[in-house]
Amino acid sequence: MTDTKFAQPMPCNAVGTLIFKNHCYALRQDDGAEMWLELDMAPAHLIDRAVSVEGAMYSKKLLCVDRIGPVN
């Protein structure tokens, strides 16, 4: 099964737990869904913490991150 790709990137704001899985960063949302994150910087200090991410979705499971930060 392949992931659905969008014709154009879609803006996305999401909240969840930042995880490190299979040597990549992902966001695990409250409903258990996970999306892979494409990041310029490695935010290792945020792993296993609640974060908010903003960026562009290129497919149902790939988010290119513009901003990431802890949820207060």
Side-chain angles (χ1 to χ4, degrees), residues 31-45:
D31 64 1
E34 295 177 355
M35 66 177 79
W36 297 109
L37 301 177
E38 179 73 30
L39 298 158
D40 287 335
M41 295 175 43
H45 65 290

Side-chain angles (χ1 to χ4, degrees), residues 8-41:
Q8 300 237 358
M10 298 175 59
C12 178
N13 294 322
V15 174
T17 301
L18 181 67
I19 61 172
F20 193 70
K21 179 179 178 179
N22 298 330
H23 304 288
C24 298
Y25 290 98
L27 183 71
R28 180 175 293 140
Q29 296 174 298
D30 289 341
D31 64 1
E34 295 177 355
M35 66 177 79
W36 297 109
L37 301 177
E38 179 73 30
L39 298 158
D40 287 335
M41 295 175 43

Side-chain angles (χ1 to χ4, degrees), residues 17-19 43-51 68-70:
T17 301
L18 181 67
I19 61 172
H45 65 290
L46 296 174
I47 292 175
D48 294 328
R49 292 186 55 194
V51 295
I68 185 169

